[in-house]
Amino acid sequence: MHDDELTALAVARALDNVHDGGKPFACLIVRDGEVVVEAVNHVAQTGDPTAHAEIRAIRAAAEQGITDLTGHEVFVTAYPCPMCLGALYYAQPDRVVFAATREQEGEHYEDGNRLMTLATFYDEYAKPVAERALPSEQGRVDDPTAPFREWTARHPS
């Protein structure tokens, strides 16, 4: 399949999910023009706020033994949210193709909450920690870096 067909398929899967009571998002993981994983957003169906299409697709790929998306492309309904974008950076596909821009999505859909809106979510990450909508602080512990040092000792580069 070609890019336009795969982008259209992602949109079609998202529409199917809306008809089934879900949110308007789908993700395809593709290798050599063939879909190897399909997933749709299941936040409405499960109540799990991390059940975004991209996250579910990456997890499904891992269940198939695909733990690195090098050599794969990802096709999504809309430009990924910061959570999904971060997951995609960790998964390392060759590229991401999105149907709708954030602005196009925002004309018809809002998925914010008390801490953010679609328009402000990306900007939260650029703010200093103390200025973000989600209060965060460092807890006190004698040796906060112990797990990281242990990891490095067990996994030398």
Side-chain angles (χ1 to χ4, degrees):
M1 296 178 81
H2 299 289
D3 285 4
D4 291 348
E5 295 170 300
L6 291 161
T7 303
L9 181 59
V11 170
R13 294 297 187 260
L15 280 167
D16 290 344
N17 197 44
V18 170
H19 295 148
D20 292 340
K23 294 190 176 195
F25 302 98
C27 177
L28 311 174
I29 298 177
V30 175
R31 182 174 186 94
D32 299 325
E34 298 296 322
V35 177
V36 296
V37 173
E38 287 188 22
V40 294
N41 182 299
H42 270 194
V43 172
Q45 294 94 321
T46 65
D48 175 358
T50 68
H52 289 205
E54 295 92 332
I55 303 297
R56 293 186 68 240
I58 292 167
R59 290 176 179 163
E63 290 173 3
Q64 293 180 23
I66 306 168
T67 59
D68 177 343
L69 296 184
T70 299
H72 295 78
E73 298 172 317
V74 173
F75 290 78
V76 293
T77 311
Y79 188 80
C81 76
M83 176 180 69
C84 293
L85 189 59
L88 288 164
Y89 268 87
Y90 275 105
Q92 305 176 70
D94 290 353
R95 70 180 177 139
V96 174
V97 177
F98 55 93
T101 65
R102 290 173 35 209
E103 294 77 17
Q104 289 171 319
E105 173 189 355
E107 290 174 18
H108 307 283
Y109 181 81
E110 174 57 58
D111 200 25
N113 61 36
R114 67 183 177 85
L115 298 174
M116 55 80 181
T117 66
L118 182 62
T120 65
F121 195 15
Y122 297 84
D123 297 334
E124 279 292 304
Y125 289 83
K127 293 178 183 177
V129 172
E131 295 177 19
R132 293 181 184 167
L134 177 61
S136 300
E137 59 187 69
Q138 185 175 14
R140 291 180 182 221
V141 64
D142 288 340
D143 191 0
T145 63
F148 309 107
R149 288 194 319 276
E150 182 67 20
W151 168 263
T152 301
R154 291 176 179 252
H155 302 89
S157 304

